[in-house]
Structures are given as structure tokens and as C-alpha cells.
Amino acid sequence: MGRFGAGHVKAPAAARQFVGGWRRALAAWVCALGGVLGLLAAGPALAAVVVQYEVTSLGGDDWRYDYVVKNDGSVSELLEFTIHFDLALTSNLAVAGSPAGWDSLVVQPDGGIPADGFFDSLALAGGLLAGDSLGGFSVSFTWAGAGTPGAQAFDIVDPVSFEVLESGTTQFAAVPEPATWLLMLAAGGVALLLSRRRRWLALAGAGALLITAGCGGGAGTSAAPQAETARMRALAVGSGNGLAGVQVDALVLKAERRVTRTVYEYDYRLRIANGGAALAGVTVELVGVGAGTQIVEPVVVAGVLPAGQKTTPADTITIRHDRSKPLSLAGMSWHFAVAPVVQGTAAVGAALANAKVTVIDTAKANACYEAPIYTSGVGQFTCTVRTGLVAPLLVVVGDPQGSYAPMVSIVEALPPSGSALVANATPLTNAIVSQLAPNGNALALLDNPSLIDLAKLATIKANVLAQLAGVLAAVGAPTGYDPFTTPIVAATPSQPGNTADHVIEMLKFSSVAGVNHIGTIDNPTGVPLAGLAPGAVLPPPSAGALALGSTMQMMANAFRACFAVPVNQRVLATDTSIPATSGGPEVTLLGAACQNHWHADYRNSGYRAGQRHYGLLRDSAMTGATFSLPEIMLYRDDTSAADNDIAVLNFRFLDANGIALNTVEVARKLPGSATAAHPSDWWLHGNRSVIDAVIRSFVRRGVQYAPNPGTPPFQLAGLSRFDTGIEIYINKDGPNSIGLRAARVTGPGLPPPGVVLTRPNPAFITDQTWLGIKNKNGNTDPAVATFTNDGNVFLLQRSLGLTGAAATTVRPNPNNGNGNNTQFMTWAHPLDYGFPIGSTNFIDFTQLGAGNTYSVEYFYDGEIAPRYIDSKTMLTPITQAISAWTLQWIENLTPATLGYLDPFDPKAQALTTMNLEWSANPFSETVSSAGVYTSASGQVVNDSVVFVARGATTAQAIAPQGASFKALTADGTSNRSIQLRYRMLDGSYKDSTWRYN
């Protein structure tokens, strides 16, 4: 439950938790050491606040402490201090003296909380400056311990925030100075003990601990740290109502925070006794308290209460109590209720663990008593529905690692109170819900829950299930299967999934030409998703695809076993002498845990297994990495006699630092190759390519800050818009790149003759590792296919703007209205595809779905014919620019960062570094890298790849050595761009850019 209510005052940085027990433990240690070392004097050399005391018997059990407080300079001005009196040993505290200009008070120990008492004194005007000391502080009290009262814990307090600035222990005023070695020994011993609690780390006070007079006991000589039973307080009987046989019979103090001089907040767990039958969905609400107490967080979600047992839920209540009055346990009253429970599983073909779950009603109110909610290791979550809420409810599951897109589900009706209803969140529920949204994005319902229409939802669900009839039959889905309510057992590396999970594993979802599609792993584009009207039936996956489940589990476990051992057991030998043009450094001998995983003939983009995974295998942060079951991105059934089926697998994992990463592998079926050590014909075999090359979909959100772009002096500046296209990455310095001069790429979306890429001009571009686009007429003649200064993205479409109608309107590509289709080689033009000048819809995006293949021919120096011809598969569809607004984006750089793009800001000057910061979007992917690009007077200075830590929202760009990022001016002769690249784990490319000119 939430800890704070409205009007909460900021808690101290170091909240005191059960300090009475530690105080007693410290004093007990002091006594033991004091018996051996003798007594230590006041005045250690380190600067600190010193509180000296004298103790006087007043007769019987009554005593008086007299204090002198000295500021040795650890705080600039001492304005308030608090001295603690042990709950078990002291009572009847009274102020016996207070110097002029100081307001002193006492608070009695309170066994109901339980909490120590204290003496607190506040400077009414000026406090104690460094070097000042002041006496006259006195407290009388009753002592219940043996012998003479001794040292006490104290805090120096900020009188505004009540943060503890320093902590220590009072020192007896009349003991001689010890030998230096004794002081060091004592101080070191106390520091060791106190290192478990930050508030006790003050060596000056630590040394002073060892001065108990006769070790008869200071305010802390009697006990070890408190166990939970010592923090438990029994409650009065008969204080609850609502459920027969159920009552709160004890409180367990978990934490405390000081709010004012006498007011504290306390967090308690509740021990709940159930004398009746077993109950589910139980909530307990604190509805009444005694004098001096306020309710801050009243509700505990108890969940299931077994019959005839006592349960202590992890959830807590919070109260705020004025310590000038005793806490009345008998004054607390409770209300018990049972609520409807929504339980479900977040699954993506495997369990989605540690994902955040949000459940709201149609008024956008939080529907659950639990907050926040995260899925378990097997993807399960529970929501106890708040009193008074009614269905429908919207469920949104977001992966905090950004590995998966958010998933939306709908709870159509609530179960009876005290019972549970299944409400899954999967890509299939998300796809069905998306058909309720005008833009085809299910997250639109989060912004506008009024779009939830249960009658329409029922129709859409029925139509989609009809589309899936063949798939459901092939998988063996249970009769009456409902993607929202049929229980899912999600697959993990340690447990297989049930058929409801297998359904999700077989399906693929995409948007093609702005239309939602549903497919299978061997037919990823599939068919348009049904909506209010029925849709085409989706063919079932092949038998080979259906049988992949156990293989995926084996491979995930193999990865997990390999990275469970330390680096020196993973990597037994390496070769660092191999040049990058031959694949670079290589792990040449793997440890036993990592063998029989990659096939001996593995080759991926020119790299052997030990080269491709050289960094991963040698990374100590990978030790203990957790792997989920791989996502099957694509399955190809080889119907020839060889039966070499292939599967493109996306292995997602978290390293030891919790950073989400992935590696995409190509697995191949090699019949008859199974061994005892590798009991499967499926191996990680690589894509068999000899060149490091990737073809993937591209989408960009670009913001322009230059005024009036397109007009002088910014006639070359582009408008704010979305761009979409095809990124062609060919590593000019990687495996088999010596002599590589050009490549020609043909395939869907590209001009039929092909796009030709060549090496960047080394006179202008020195840090680029990839080929750039030279022409789009397919000409690879060495006399024509010379160096290029262009990029490697072939752009297909752009929008008129970023918002409103402009975001959904096509802006004609450059030179679209004239016959000059060669001025902008990186832009598609109608003439490139045989369409008339001025055409705007000459790209058929319906043909640009996932799974398209592209032919890549590689040309070398002195050769006219291609040396290698390769085939590349695009794993994701190409998004239309006019549909890109439906994606989730990081939209805001901080004002300080935008200063770099303002020619009138001081940051517009030439700089060697730029500190970048942006605002995160919880529903978008996170940023993997950033880039800064500047130019002026024909000179370019960039830092094109700035790696960004997982989940971070800051980065620092550094200009190349000896150079500065170019100054930005308002005359159109210079420009700057800031780029954020998203961490895309699906094989696509996406970025956001902000630019001036």
C-alpha cells in the first residue's frame, strides 16, 4: 500500500527503525569492552558534536542527567538535538533545566508503539556555532535498570526537515583521557558494529560509548536487537466489525519517520486472526483511532486468510501520532471486508516477469488496493478490487525493461466478493482490444476509457476466434477457449506452458499499411485482423512449428547453464590476434557448461560463434544472467528431403545488473545430428552469411526548431515530421570486407533496379563503419559507384507533421513533382517505380510486412560480377509515416538540453561536451544510444554513437579529440541535431531526432 497521505511532510533521509533495540545492543557491547579496556575520555580528535553528561541520584529509583553540548564543527550551527531514553529502562521523564534561548521538552517512552522516550531542545534564536558549548540542560527520570544510568544515543536534527544530521552517544563528563591506542581500538570496534545502521556512524560518539559508570547500564545495556515479536503489540479484543470471527490481534512495527518535534509516522503490519472459514479477497481498514493519532494509509490487503489461522500480510497501514500523548491501541477500530479479486497472467509466449500492472475503471481511477502491482516470475498478478468500483476495468501491463510492447486487456464483469476471476494480458488480448480504438492502438483506451464497448468487444472477440479456429484446433486449445479468461500457465525455462500459452507462442501480430494483422510464426504477415466484421481464416501453423516448444526450453536452459558459471569457466582460451576483417577476437575454447550449444559449423554474418559472442561470453555482468524462453520471430519449413527447417529466435535476458538485452539467433534443424550432450536435431547455426549486413524497417520522429523551414535562410531545413523507410547496414570493416567496394540490394519497397551502396568518402567521413547509398538505378560500375556522402537509410514516406491531421497526411517526397529523381538518392521517387511524376502513393505498404526477403550482391575491387550473393529477411513490417503517430515515442528533451539547439542560448557556442537529458515514456522502448551532429562552414563535428545505460535518461556526448562541436548560429550557415536511438529488441530501427536547421 502507499505510505503517505495528503499533506505528508518529507521524511528524514535516515528514518529510525527499531532503534531502541540497537541502542541497547550498543550499550551492551560497550559494557563488555569497557570491562577489558577501562574507560575512555571525552574529546576525540575527529570533529563532531559532543554531548557530555553527569548523572545524579535523586533518591530511590529517581535520577537526573545534566548535559553540556559542544559543537566541534561537524555542523555549521547546531539548532536542535534529541537525546533518547530507553523504553525498557526509563519512565517519568521531566525537564529539570533548560538554558535561556532554548525550548526543551520531553516525550515519554511508549510501550504501545513501541518507542523510546526522548528529551528534545530547540534553539529559539541563534544555535551553537562551531566551537561553542552550552550547559544547563537537565532531565529527571525514573530508572528501572541495575546500577547507575549510563550513556545514551542522541541525534542532531534539522529543525525544518527533521532529518538527522549526525548521531552519537553521550559521554560521561569526568573520566581521564585514554591512551591513543585504546581510543582507536574502541572507536574501530564501535564503527564495525554500527556500520549496519547509517544513523549511528559517528566515531566521536562511538568512542564515548565506552564510559558507563560501573557498567551498571546506560539507556541501552539490557538487550540484543529486537526480534519481530519484540516489536509486536497485542490489541484490545472486540475492535473490529464486518466479518464474523476475524480480528486484528497484533500490530508489528516496521518503520518510523519523524514529522515534527513530537509527531511521528509509523508503519505497521497487521497480524490477523481468522476464527472462521477460509476467506479470499480480504481487506482490513483502520477506521478509528485514539486521541493524538491520525490515519494516513488505512487499508491492508490481506488476500487469503486460511481457516483457523493467524496471518501477517506484507502490506502495511500508516498512522501519524503525536508523541505528547500515549498511543491508544484500545482506541483502534477496524472494518473487515471481502472484495472481488482479478487474477491473471501476463504472457508473450513465455511468462512476462516483473512487469508493472495497472488496472483502472472507466473513470481512470485505480481499481486495486494493491499498488503498485508487478507480475511474479511466472507472469501472474492479483488485483483486489476497491470497494464501490464496477466493471468494465482496463488492465495494462508494461514491461519496465522495454523488451515488450505494452499489453492491454479488459475485465468485462467482476466476480462475487471473495472470489476470483481470470483476466489475462497477452498480445492476443491486446490485438482484440485494439480493434475498439479508432487508431488501432489499444493504449488509446487508457487515454479514453469511454472507448470500451462490451457489446462491440464481444463481437470482435467472436470474429477473431473464428479466424483462429484452425490454429486453436492445431494447438489443442480447450473447448470454450477465451483469450481473456482461460487460465494460462506461461512457459519458463523451468516449466512448460499449457495450451493457452502455446496459442500465444504460435501467433504474430503486426500493423501493415496501417491495418492490424494476425499471423503465425511461419506466416508472420498472416491476414488482416477481424473487427466488427468477420475476417479471413488464418491457416494453422505447420506441424514443425507446433513442435518447437520443447526445443525452445532446451535452448533457454542451455544459455542459462552457460552463463550461470563465472567467466573463467565459460572461456578457456581466446585468440585476440584475428583482425576485424576476419571476424575479430574469438573465444576458441569454451567451458563444459557452454559446449554443445552452437553448432561447430556456426556462421552468422561472417562471424564464428566464438567471435560473434566474444564480448558476451567474457562479460562478468553476464554471470547469473536470467533468460526467458526465446521468442520465435520466424519459422521456415524446409519441405525438401533435407528437412533443414530454420527458426529465427529472439533470446531476451537480464544481466546481473538487471539490464535488458537480447541476441537474435538462427536455429537450423539438422536431422540425425542429436547427441547425448545435445538431445535435439535443432542447433544454433547462424544465418550462413559471409558479410556483416542487416536490413530492417526504419521509422523516425523528427522535430525541427529552425523558424520557417523551407524558406531562406533555412531553405534546406526539413519540417517536423515522421519518416519511414528501409535501413541497409553493411559493415565496410567487418568480416570479408577487404576490397569490398559496393553492394546492390533489391527487394520489396526498393526501386526494381536496386539500391547501390558504396564506401563513404574518407576525406569527409572518418568514423563511419558502414556503406552509404550511392544510387538507386542499380549501377555498380566502378566508374560510377564511387565514394558517397549519403546515409544508409532509403526513405519511403514522410508525413506533413507530427500532430493532428498533419500526422496522417502524406507530404510528397523531395522532387516528387518534377522529373529530377537523382538529386536525393536516399528518397523514393515516383519515377523510380514507374509511376507518373506527382504520385504520392507509389509505395504499396501492404506488401511490406514481416518476413520479406531481400537479395544483396557484394562487389569487390577489380571485379564486375558479384563475389557473393546473400539473402536477408526483414523481421518486422515497415510502418507508414502517416501511421507512426500511433507508436509510443520519447517526445521531450529537457529545457537545458534544448538550449543546445537555440542559437540565442549560451550553449550555442562551440563546445567540447554536451550533456543530454530527456523525459522517459513508460510505454515506449528505452534509449540504447544517442548521437550529436553539428556542422558549420562546411566542417562537420559529430559524436555519432553515445552509449546509454539501460533505463537511463542522460548521456554525455564528447567531441573528437582536438575538436569542438560547431557553434550554432541563426543565419542558416550552421546546424545541430540530437538523436536518440531506441533499444529495439524486435529487429527493427527507431529513433527520435531534434534539430536546428
Side-chain angles (χ1 to χ4, degrees):
M1 300 300 297
R3 296 286 188 260
F4 306 109
H8 172 72
V9 179
K10 177 182 179 291
R16 291 200 303 123
Q17 298 189 31
F18 332 124
V19 295
W22 282 102
R23 214 171 284 124
R24 287 188 289 274
L26 291 171
W29 184 88
V30 168
C31 287
L33 188 59
V36 178
L37 300 180
L39 303 175
L40 294 181
L46 296 177
V49 173
V50 175
V51 179
Q52 293 181 328
Y53 75 91
E54 293 181 352
V55 61
T56 303
S57 174
L58 302 180
D61 293 332
D62 294 332
W63 296 77
R64 185 184 71 240
Y65 277 124
D66 297 296
Y67 305 104
V68 175
V69 181
K70 181 178 181 180
N71 183 359
D72 278 0
S74 58
V75 293
S76 59
E77 184 177 16
L78 193 160
L79 294 168
E80 185 174 2
F81 66 93
T82 303
I83 301 175
H84 301 279
F85 283 74
D86 191 275
L87 166 65
L89 300 175
T90 60
S91 60
N92 300 322
L93 278 57
V95 176
S98 182
W102 287 74
D103 178 50
S104 299
L105 58 82
V106 292
V107 163
Q108 303 301 322
D110 192 334
I113 295 176
D116 291 340
F118 59 82
F119 167 78
D120 184 87
S121 195
L122 172 69
L124 299 177
L128 295 181
L129 301 177
D132 289 349
S133 62
L134 182 65
F137 302 97
S138 298
V139 181
S140 63
F141 61 99
T142 299
W143 172 245
T148 303
Q152 300 166 274
F154 71 83
D155 297 326
I156 307 305
V157 179
D158 183 316
V160 177
S161 68
F162 292 93
E163 179 182 0
V164 175
L165 305 176
E166 183 180 322
S167 295
T169 308
T170 61
Q171 302 177 9
F172 188 54
V175 288
E177 184 171 339
T180 302
W181 70 271
L182 288 177
L183 178 61
M184 293 176 62
L185 178 59
V190 173
L192 177 62
L193 178 62
L194 300 185
S195 64
R196 295 183 62 183
R197 295 195 51 79
R198 176 178 175 271
R199 68 170 306 202
W200 297 106
L201 290 177
L203 289 183
L209 255 178
L210 307 181
I211 60 173
T212 52
C215 253
T221 61
S222 64
Q226 291 173 311
E228 183 161 288
T229 53
R231 303 192 303 270
M232 186 175 291
R233 288 297 178 262
L235 295 182
V237 177
S239 57
N241 65 79
L243 290 177
V246 179
Q247 67 176 8
V248 175
D249 79 337
L251 301 181
V252 181
L253 179 63
K254 298 303 294 181
E256 65 177 52
R257 295 169 294 278
R258 193 171 185 176
V259 178
T260 72
R261 293 184 73 190
T262 62
V263 175
Y264 284 72
E265 282 190 350
Y266 298 100
D267 299 335
Y268 292 98
R269 292 174 67 187
L270 310 182
R271 190 175 71 182
I272 304 167
N274 179 18
L279 297 168
V282 176
T283 62
V284 184
E285 182 178 6
L286 178 61
V287 294
V289 290
T293 305
Q294 295 177 330
I295 301 172
V296 176
E297 177 52 63
V299 177
V300 160
V301 178
V304 175
L305 296 182
Q309 295 185 26
K310 294 182 178 181
T311 304
T312 307
D315 202 1
T316 59
I317 62 162
T318 301
I319 61 171
R320 183 175 293 181
H321 180 64
D322 187 341
R323 290 290 308 277
S324 65
K325 300 177 179 64
L327 178 66
S328 173
L329 298 180
M332 292 183 172
S333 57
W334 309 87
H335 178 73
F336 304 93
V338 289
V341 176
V342 173
Q343 295 177 327
T345 300
V348 289
L352 184 56
N354 303 313
K356 187 175 182 180
V357 181
T358 302
V359 185
I360 62 171
D361 67 1
T362 53
K364 298 186 180 181
N366 177 23
C368 308
Y369 282 111
E370 303 91 344
I373 301 173
Y374 291 93
T375 57
S376 69
V378 293
Q380 295 177 345
F381 62 89
T382 297
C383 164
T384 305
V385 180
R386 290 180 177 273
T387 302
L389 294 188
V390 297
L393 303 178
L394 193 68
V395 180
V396 182
V397 176
D399 178 12
Q401 302 297 333
S403 300
Y404 295 93
M407 299 182 298
V408 180
S409 185
I410 291 176
V411 179
E412 299 179 49
L414 294 180
S417 294
S419 58
L421 172 77
V422 173
N424 300 313
T426 69
L428 179 54
T429 67
N430 188 79
I432 293 171
V433 173
S434 71
Q435 300 298 76
L436 291 172
N439 64 357
N441 188 330
L443 287 176
L445 278 70
L446 186 63
D447 294 328
N448 184 11
S450 66
L451 292 172
I452 300 175
D453 185 316
L454 296 182
K456 290 182 179 179
L457 179 66
T459 300
I460 295 169
K461 181 166 60 174
N463 288 337
V464 170
L465 289 175
Q467 278 189 298
L468 296 178
V471 176
L472 298 178
V475 171
T479 303
Y481 168 79
D482 186 310
F484 294 83
T485 60
T486 297
I488 292 176
V489 177
T492 69
S494 60
Q495 75 171 26
N498 64 358
T499 53
D501 184 60
H502 200 30
V503 171
I504 307 303
E505 184 181 50
M506 289 294 104
L507 296 177
K508 304 296 291 184
F509 302 88
S510 62
S511 177
V512 180
V515 176
N516 290 332
H517 277 59
I518 186 169
T520 56
I521 59 174
D522 54 353
N523 176 20
T525 298
V527 297
L529 184 67
L532 292 174
V537 173
L538 179 66
S542 66
L546 290 168
L548 275 178
S550 60
T551 300
M552 300 305 97
Q553 199 162 24
M554 181 201 75
M555 289 186 172
N557 283 325
F559 265 114
R560 185 171 62 172
C562 175
F563 289 99
V565 300
V567 172
N568 62 2
Q569 294 180 35
R570 292 198 296 267
V571 177
L572 302 184
T574 62
D575 184 350
T576 59
S577 66
I578 304 172
T581 53
S582 296
E586 181 177 11
V587 174
T588 55
L589 182 61
L590 291 168
C594 300
Q595 293 181 5
N596 298 299
H597 189 28
W598 294 277
H599 193 273
D601 192 33
Y602 178 100
R603 186 178 70 233
N604 197 91
S605 297
Y607 300 100
R608 293 184 290 273
Q611 293 175 314
R612 184 167 187 239
H613 299 292
Y614 179 82
L616 206 63
L617 288 164
R618 298 178 68 255
D619 186 355
S620 60
M622 283 299 297
T623 303
T626 57
F627 287 80
S628 62
L629 286 187
E631 173 195 0
I632 306 170
M633 303 185 75
L634 182 68
Y635 178 87
R636 291 270 170 83
D637 190 1
D638 179 11
T639 58
S640 71
D643 195 25
N644 293 145
D645 300 349
I646 65 169
V648 181
L649 308 178
N650 191 354
F651 289 87
R652 304 173 195 249
F653 55 89
L654 296 179
D655 70 9
N657 299 319
I659 296 175
L661 299 166
N662 78 312
T663 179
V664 175
E665 294 278 6
V666 177
R668 189 177 302 270
K669 183 181 178 184
L670 303 172
S673 64
T675 66
H678 184 92
S680 172
D681 287 342
W682 281 92
W683 293 81
L684 297 184
H685 204 230
N687 60 18
R688 317 307 300 154
S689 298
V690 297
I691 300 292
D692 184 9
V694 175
I695 296 179
R696 56 185 179 174
S697 61
F698 169 95
V699 63
R700 167 175 291 162
R701 182 183 188 272
V703 181
Q704 175 65 259
Y705 286 100
N708 303 312
T711 61
F714 303 109
Q715 59 269 25
L716 297 181
L719 294 168
S720 297
R721 64 177 189 255
F722 294 106
D723 293 332
T724 191
I726 300 171
E727 185 198 23
I728 306 169
Y729 174 85
I730 299 173
N731 188 345
K732 72 177 182 64
D733 303 320
N736 300 296
S737 62
I738 295 177
L740 177 65
R741 64 175 180 86
R744 180 168 57 207
V745 184
T746 56
L750 297 177
V755 170
V756 173
L757 299 93
T758 61
R759 288 181 170 267
N761 190 335
F764 300 101
I765 304 172
T766 59
D767 62 347
Q768 181 174 306
T769 61
W770 55 87
L771 302 184
I773 294 173
K774 178 63 179 180
N775 67 57
K776 49 185 176 176
N777 60 14
N779 192 344
T780 60
D781 188 304
V784 176
T786 55
F787 291 140
T788 182
N789 294 328
D790 272 328
N792 66 323
V793 178
F794 191 75
L795 296 163
L796 301 177
Q797 190 183 75
R798 58 184 178 175
S799 68
L800 194 59
L802 295 176
T803 59
T808 60
T809 302
V810 173
R811 183 189 182 200
N813 289 352
N815 286 354
N816 188 78
N818 62 51
N820 185 359
N821 67 329
T822 60
Q823 181 180 1
F824 300 99
M825 288 296 186
T826 60
W827 278 95
H829 188 281
L831 294 181
D832 301 336
Y833 302 85
F835 280 79
I837 293 172
S839 301
T840 56
N841 294 317
F842 53 90
I843 302 293
D844 185 1
F845 280 90
T846 65
Q847 300 303 306
L848 301 182
N852 281 331
T853 57
Y854 293 78
S855 175
V856 186
E857 303 166 276
Y858 299 102
F859 299 84
Y860 286 76
D861 291 337
E863 300 174 3
I864 301 300
R867 182 184 299 182
Y868 305 114
I869 300 177
D870 204 357
S871 178
K872 293 292 179 182
T873 300
M874 186 177 293
L875 297 175
T876 58
I878 298 174
T879 302
Q880 285 183 293
I882 55 174
S883 299
W885 67 277
T886 66
L887 305 178
Q888 293 294 314
W889 298 92
I890 293 171
E891 298 185 355
N892 298 312
L893 299 176
T894 62
T897 302
L898 288 175
Y900 296 119
L901 303 179
D902 181 354
F904 304 104
D905 190 284
K907 292 188 180 71
Q909 64 183 309
L911 300 167
T912 57
T913 62
M914 290 190 186
N915 295 312
L916 312 179
E917 186 173 3
W918 54 93
S919 299
N921 176 352
F923 294 117
S924 78
E925 303 83 2
T926 57
V927 175
S928 63
S929 66
V932 168
Y933 307 88
T934 69
S935 69
S937 304
Q939 294 183 323
V940 176
V941 178
N942 301 334
D943 186 1
S944 55
V945 180
V946 183
F947 290 104
V948 176
R950 175 68 186 84
T953 56
T954 60
Q956 185 179 68
I958 302 175
Q961 187 173 3
S964 297
F965 294 119
K966 293 301 180 181
L968 183 65
T969 59
D971 59 3
T973 62
S974 60
N975 63 71
R976 281 183 178 177
S977 297
I978 295 172
Q979 179 186 46
L980 299 181
R981 304 180 190 93
Y982 294 83
R983 194 181 303 272
M984 305 300 291
L985 303 185
D986 62 357
S988 65
Y989 178 91
K990 176 182 176 184
D991 75 30
S992 291
T993 63
W994 294 261
R995 65 185 61 190
Y996 186 94
N997 199 13

